[in-house]
Amino acid sequence: MVQITHTKFILSPSTFFFFFFLLIGFLLLSTGESRTPFACDPSNRGTKDFPFCRINLPIGVRVKDLLGRLTLQEKVRLLVNNAAGIPRLGIQGYEWWSEALHGVSDVGPGTKFLPEFHGATQFPQVITTASTFNDTLWEEIGTVVSNEARAMYNGGKAGLTFWSPNVNIFRDPRWGRGQETPGEDPVLSARYAVRYVKGLQGNVGNRLKVAACCKHYTAYDLDNWNGVDRFHFNAKVSKQDLEDTYNVPFKACVLEGKVASVMCSYNQVNGKPTCADENLLKNTIRGTWRLNGYIVSDCDSVGVMYTSQHYTATPEDAAADSIKAGLDLDCGPFLAVYTEGAIKQGKLKEADVDGALYNTMVVQMRLGMFDGPRQPYANLGIPDVCLRSSDHLALEAARQGIVLLDNRGKGPPLSTTLHRTVAVVGPNSDVTVTMIGNYAGIACGYTTPLQGIARYVKTIHQAGCADVSCKGNHLIGAAEGAARRADATVLVMGLDQSIEAEQRDRVDVLLPGHQQELISRVAKASRGPVVLVLMSGGPLDITFAKNDPRISAIIWAGYPGQSGGTAIADVLFGTTNPGGKLPMTWYPQEYLAKVPMTNMAMRADPAHNYPGRTYRFYKGPVVYPFGHGLSYTTFQHSIAQAPTSISVSMVPIHLENSNTTTLANGVRVSHTKCSNLLMGLHVDVKNTGTIDGAHTVMVFSSPPQGKWATDKQLVGFQKVHVVAGGLQRVKLDLHVCKHMSVVDQFGIRRVPMGEHTLHIGDLKHSLTISPTIEEIKY
């Protein structure tokens, strides 16, 4: 697609460029068959017969053969993202750093678009896609992204190792990178991570379509706030919070998603840099979770631990500490410069370097990079990028991700008959790149909100502000005039990357500059219904708009991707019935004074006036709660089938030693036979309105009253489409050890005995868990 500025343009840009790319693809023949093999080129007689090139041998055997042929100097140059080639072995250089957060991106040096590739499908930013609560969609997006990534690799314009997704917990509403994450809930983030990783990597045995990377491990959610930056920050985290919040998505990435890589973060955790923490890397990721892949540093973080954090006395110590802790690859030059010196000084063994390279080379071989020209997915090329079907998927993701926050009076859906002229106002009303957020690439094209609305009705456009900073109010008068002449007014406001981004945390959660004034004055001037549409990654305190009776509806679009304008217009005019749910809490501005970004504690501490974080632990006033989202129709739940009791079968040795204290504290998950503790919950969803719609069934669980009686926790969700007046039954599988457990202060996961409560909308269902050997009872 290309940007359309004329509203009467009929040929859709995606259709035009589909045929354009198809033609170029045939002309350039940019497929894997024309790419020079990374290694093991059969035309190279000197290297083609090496054992590491024999695809019939086990990968481990091939890697050991290759390692045995390398000199120490060659090895250390392979420890960095810009890995050097080894011409004598027929191996090319390789750039490990590519990004694919929500579409192939050119942020990393491993990916370039022009001239062969004019763009790639840019899906909504992750926070918006997460609000769909549709895990099938997440995997479908990953599949399209990996198709385009492979096509670009085949065309010589990208690598195969993509350092995505970002699965950090969106703990603080000011965090500039919260937009990149699936939100504040660990269960939601874990499910997103697993499904997106599966879409990226494919599901063909041990082979990889592309290699994904879950980042930034761990407890990383501060970039630059109040004089504290991520390079110097020491995150003080309790064992309890680490186990039941910060590490949950990463554990799921490795154990369930089978991700090929994990990235350690810049910050320290409890006084130790994550990239030099043997317990976090070697013992947990590779030991307990059994990562089948490599561990990479965030860029220059190995150098940072020496230069900025002064954690080590010498650069050689930093190199040795990180590799011995379990780091395999350095994003940055540091290990290539100082590793050999660390070995010569006796601080590191060459065998340690071999271990790191073994992990990276295994991934390259799983990708087929040592298979010569016999590449998997070699058929993918330019014609497979920016497909019309991919654009439609991006549009569908935006439609499903848009959240209707409020709707009252004569609000949407708007009518093309009653609202023939619409005033479109605001600094985000006609934007393009704003809609794709950060870590994006070149979009196939855009449809702005103004263009999307213009496909339905006549528009009058006024920006009202020069940009989102809205430093002056001199343009507001013209916007008021437009609202007076129109049958309805749509205000498209919010943020962009100048306000929230990497290394740019916010100082508040208010709309910038004169945006509030613009909204209030235009709403007062409008002669028809007023709809406020917000683009942002993080939450906003818009209490003033909630309380303004002249504002008929409020919509959050996040950063809705290349087709965001179409999706917004479809929701406004009822072509799409909104069904998105907030993946994070929207806090009032007053909340921020009580929670320094540097305080990593999740749980409330009333003694120190600390209110806690996220819906799980904060119980104060909110602007909008986690999971909030309205529809143009109404839904009703009923429980069709659910267990009333379930027994936790303990390992005999622990059953014999159990006592009252043990049961009161809950049974350790490690002491139970967890594999058998899966239960089904059947919920009927009825559409009691007059419009077809999609609804997310969310199941929360509360532990028994007493010491565990903290809060409710999301344990399951499923998206379902129900026609008007229809009924659909949804089955959710809940695992007792995973979903009904809690974590104690020592970081030990336990299943509390007693009466648990399941919450489905307004419904409550009791489930008793006891340490007896009984079957599930219905």
Side-chain angles (χ1 to χ4, degrees):
M1 291 193 298
V2 291
Q3 181 181 347
I4 306 174
T5 55
H6 197 290
T7 58
K8 294 184 180 180
F9 191 84
I10 297 175
L11 178 64
S12 77
S14 57
T15 302
F16 171 80
F17 265 88
F18 170 75
F19 290 110
F20 176 79
F21 282 164
L22 189 64
L23 174 62
I24 295 297
F26 282 116
L27 291 175
L28 296 179
L29 295 174
S30 290
T31 65
E33 295 175 359
S34 62
R35 179 190 176 102
T36 302
F38 166 76
C40 303
D41 188 344
S43 65
N44 186 337
R45 296 182 179 180
T47 65
K48 67 175 183 176
D49 294 325
F50 287 140
F52 67 77
C53 291
R54 298 176 187 170
I55 61 175
N56 61 320
L57 293 177
I59 286 179
V61 173
R62 298 170 66 192
V63 171
K64 289 179 181 178
D65 174 74
L66 175 55
L67 281 172
R69 299 175 185 275
L70 300 177
T71 66
L72 177 59
Q73 291 71 31
E74 289 170 335
K75 289 176 182 178
V76 297
R77 290 196 292 268
L78 298 178
L79 291 171
V80 293
N81 63 291
N82 186 18
I86 308 172
R88 69 183 184 85
L89 297 180
I91 299 172
Q92 297 185 32
Y94 180 67
E95 176 55 68
W96 285 83
W97 180 6
S98 288
E99 302 278 356
L101 184 67
H102 53 106
V104 178
S105 167
D106 55 356
V107 169
T111 302
K112 306 293 181 187
F113 283 97
L114 302 174
E116 291 86 351
F117 293 88
H118 289 259
T121 307
Q122 300 301 304
F123 290 90
Q125 180 60 287
V126 176
I127 196 71
T128 309
T129 304
S131 67
T132 69
F133 280 81
N134 186 342
D135 60 351
T136 301
L137 175 69
W138 301 335
E139 188 166 340
E140 289 175 350
I141 291 172
T143 299
V144 169
V145 173
S146 59
N147 282 344
E148 296 191 342
R150 265 287 176 175
M152 292 183 69
Y153 173 78
N154 292 340
K157 305 298 286 186
L160 289 175
T161 46
F162 288 84
W163 293 347
S164 305
N166 180 342
V167 297
N168 292 117
I169 297 297
F170 197 172
R171 171 189 61 101
D172 191 290
R174 293 162 289 197
W175 188 30
R177 302 189 72 177
Q179 60 182 293
E180 302 173 30
T181 76
E184 71 180 36
D185 182 78
V187 169
L188 171 62
S189 298
R191 180 93 73 88
Y192 177 87
V194 170
R195 295 305 292 265
Y196 188 64
V197 165
K198 286 185 175 180
L200 285 179
Q201 296 190 165
N203 294 290
V204 185
N206 192 43
R207 287 289 183 159
L208 295 168
K209 190 178 181 184
V210 303
C213 174
C214 289
K215 63 184 185 183
H216 313 81
Y217 179 78
T218 184
Y220 166 65
D221 49 14
L222 178 152
D223 270 63
N224 192 350
W225 177 82
N226 199 30
V228 180
D229 65 44
R230 58 185 177 173
F231 306 117
H232 299 86
F233 180 50
N234 176 24
K236 298 177 181 178
V237 187
S238 70
K239 292 181 179 179
Q240 188 175 35
D241 286 342
L242 200 63
E243 174 63 26
D244 83 346
T245 299
Y246 295 112
N247 280 359
V248 172
F250 293 98
K251 184 177 182 179
C253 265
V254 178
L255 290 177
E256 300 174 49
K258 309 299 181 186
V259 74
S261 176
V262 174
M263 176 183 286
C264 50
S265 53
Y266 289 112
N267 56 288
Q268 296 184 358
V269 172
N270 299 326
K272 183 174 285 191
T274 63
C275 293
D277 192 325
E278 184 175 8
N279 183 56
L280 288 177
L281 305 188
K282 185 175 289 184
N283 295 347
T284 302
I285 297 179
R286 195 168 300 285
T288 304
W289 300 344
R290 303 185 68 80
L291 171 71
N292 180 18
Y294 69 98
I295 299 173
V296 61
S297 73
D298 205 341
C299 295
D300 295 320
S301 60
V302 179
V304 162
M305 73 174 70
Y306 168 67
T307 59
S308 299
Q309 298 176 0
H310 307 297
Y311 180 73
T312 63
T314 69
E316 289 80 10
D317 287 328
D321 286 358
S322 58
I323 292 175
K324 288 191 292 187
L327 187 72
D328 302 311
L329 185 70
D330 177 20
C331 178
F334 200 86
L335 290 187
V337 176
Y338 295 108
T339 299
E340 186 175 359
I343 293 173
K344 290 179 178 178
Q345 294 173 26
K347 298 175 178 179
L348 189 68
K349 298 178 180 178
E350 187 171 351
D352 296 320
V353 173
D354 289 347
L357 293 179
Y358 181 92
N359 295 325
T360 56
M361 290 175 178
V362 163
V363 169
Q364 288 182 308
M365 290 195 180
R366 291 172 63 198
L367 287 163
M369 294 175 66
F370 285 85
D371 293 352
R374 296 158 293 195
Q375 290 292 302
Y377 311 100
N379 59 306
L380 296 173
I382 287 178
D384 300 290
V385 179
C386 290
L387 289 176
R388 189 173 187 177
S389 59
S390 302
D391 178 46
H392 180 76
L393 186 64
L395 172 59
E396 185 59 26
R399 286 169 172 161
Q400 292 189 30
I402 290 174
V403 181
L404 180 61
L405 297 173
D406 269 307
N407 196 16
R408 53 184 179 263
K410 298 179 180 180
L414 301 177
S415 166
T416 55
T417 302
L418 298 177
H419 309 113
R420 296 184 178 182
T421 302
V422 173
V424 184
V425 175
N428 279 338
S429 58
D430 197 28
V431 293
T432 53
V433 294
T434 295
M435 296 194 298
I436 60 177
N438 70 347
Y439 276 81
I442 300 175
C444 305
Y446 297 97
T447 303
T448 73
L450 176 63
Q451 292 165 350
I453 294 169
R455 292 174 178 174
Y456 283 92
V457 292
K458 180 182 177 181
T459 60
I460 307 172
H461 180 235
Q462 288 291 333
C465 293
D467 52 41
V468 294
S469 65
C470 207
K471 294 180 179 179
N473 61 2
H474 58 285
L475 299 177
I476 295 179
E480 290 175 299
R484 292 189 189 100
R485 305 196 321 267
D487 301 315
T489 299
V490 176
L491 286 147
V492 191
M493 312 296 290
L495 311 177
D496 63 16
Q497 301 307 301
S498 70
I499 306 296
E500 56 176 356
E502 185 172 12
Q503 299 195 66
R504 186 175 292 125
D505 297 328
R506 289 187 286 163
V507 297
D508 56 43
V509 289
L510 301 174
L511 287 168
H514 291 270
Q515 282 200 39
Q516 179 173 334
E517 180 186 354
L518 172 61
I519 293 168
S520 297
R521 285 175 56 179
V522 168
K524 184 177 181 179
S526 180
R527 64 174 178 148
V530 177
V531 182
L532 172 61
V533 178
L534 298 166
M535 285 191 198
S536 72
L540 293 161
D541 183 352
I542 50 165
T543 303
F544 78 93
K546 283 186 67 177
N547 296 335
D548 190 336
R550 296 162 299 189
I551 296 176
S552 304
I554 304 174
I555 289 171
W556 178 68
Y559 293 123
Q562 65 181 39
S563 297
T566 300
I568 290 170
D570 289 347
V571 168
L572 288 171
F573 288 93
T575 303
T576 293
N577 187 355
K581 304 289 185 183
L582 289 179
M584 74 295 204
T585 303
W586 285 36
Y587 302 90
Q589 172 68 14
E590 296 75 32
Y591 169 80
L592 302 182
K594 302 176 182 179
V595 285
M597 280 193 76
T598 50
N599 191 328
M600 301 296 291
M602 297 299 299
R603 289 159 171 79
D605 182 4
H608 294 89
N609 198 32
Y610 184 73
R613 295 183 180 275
T614 76
Y615 80 93
R616 297 163 63 216
F617 305 109
Y618 169 68
K619 301 308 171 187
V622 300
V623 181
Y624 295 107
F626 172 88
H628 174 74
L630 306 177
S631 171
Y632 294 150
T633 189
T634 53
F635 298 95
Q636 189 177 72
H637 301 110
S638 60
I639 297 176
Q641 187 177 2
T644 58
S645 66
I646 186 171
S647 63
V648 173
S649 180
M650 299 175 65
V651 177
I653 185 173
H654 301 296
L655 184 62
E656 293 172 3
N657 295 332
S658 65
N659 53 42
T660 304
T661 303
T662 300
L663 299 181
N665 290 335
V667 177
R668 285 194 184 205
V669 165
S670 60
H671 293 176
T672 65
K673 296 181 178 179
C674 284
S675 58
N676 300 324
L677 297 177
L678 187 68
M679 61 183 184
L681 176 65
H682 300 255
V683 179
D684 286 340
V685 182
K686 185 176 181 180
N687 185 336
T688 55
T690 59
I691 302 175
D692 298 351
H695 177 67
T696 298
V697 178
M698 294 186 184
V699 181
F700 295 85
S701 174
S702 297
Q705 292 295 316
K707 67 177 296 181
W708 302 118
T710 50
D711 331 277
K712 61 181 184 180
Q713 159 72 51
L714 182 69
V715 294
F717 59 88
Q718 187 169 322
K719 191 100 166 185
V720 61
H721 187 271
V722 190
V723 298
L727 183 145
Q728 290 285 342
R729 179 164 294 181
V730 175
K731 180 178 183 293
L732 297 104
D733 292 321
L734 304 180
H735 197 286
V736 172
C737 290
K738 183 178 179 182
H739 297 127
M740 312 300 289
S741 59
V742 296
V743 176
D744 68 18
Q745 61 182 323
F746 305 105
I748 298 171
R749 189 167 289 276
R750 298 174 179 273
V751 179
M753 298 296 104
E755 186 177 286
H756 294 245
T757 303
L758 299 179
H759 307 258
I760 308 101
D762 295 330
L763 299 177
K764 293 184 179 180
H765 175 78
S766 295
L767 170 69
T768 300
I769 300 180
S770 57
T772 56
I773 306 176
E774 296 179 359
E775 300 296 326
I776 297 176
K777 295 180 180 179
Y778 286 93

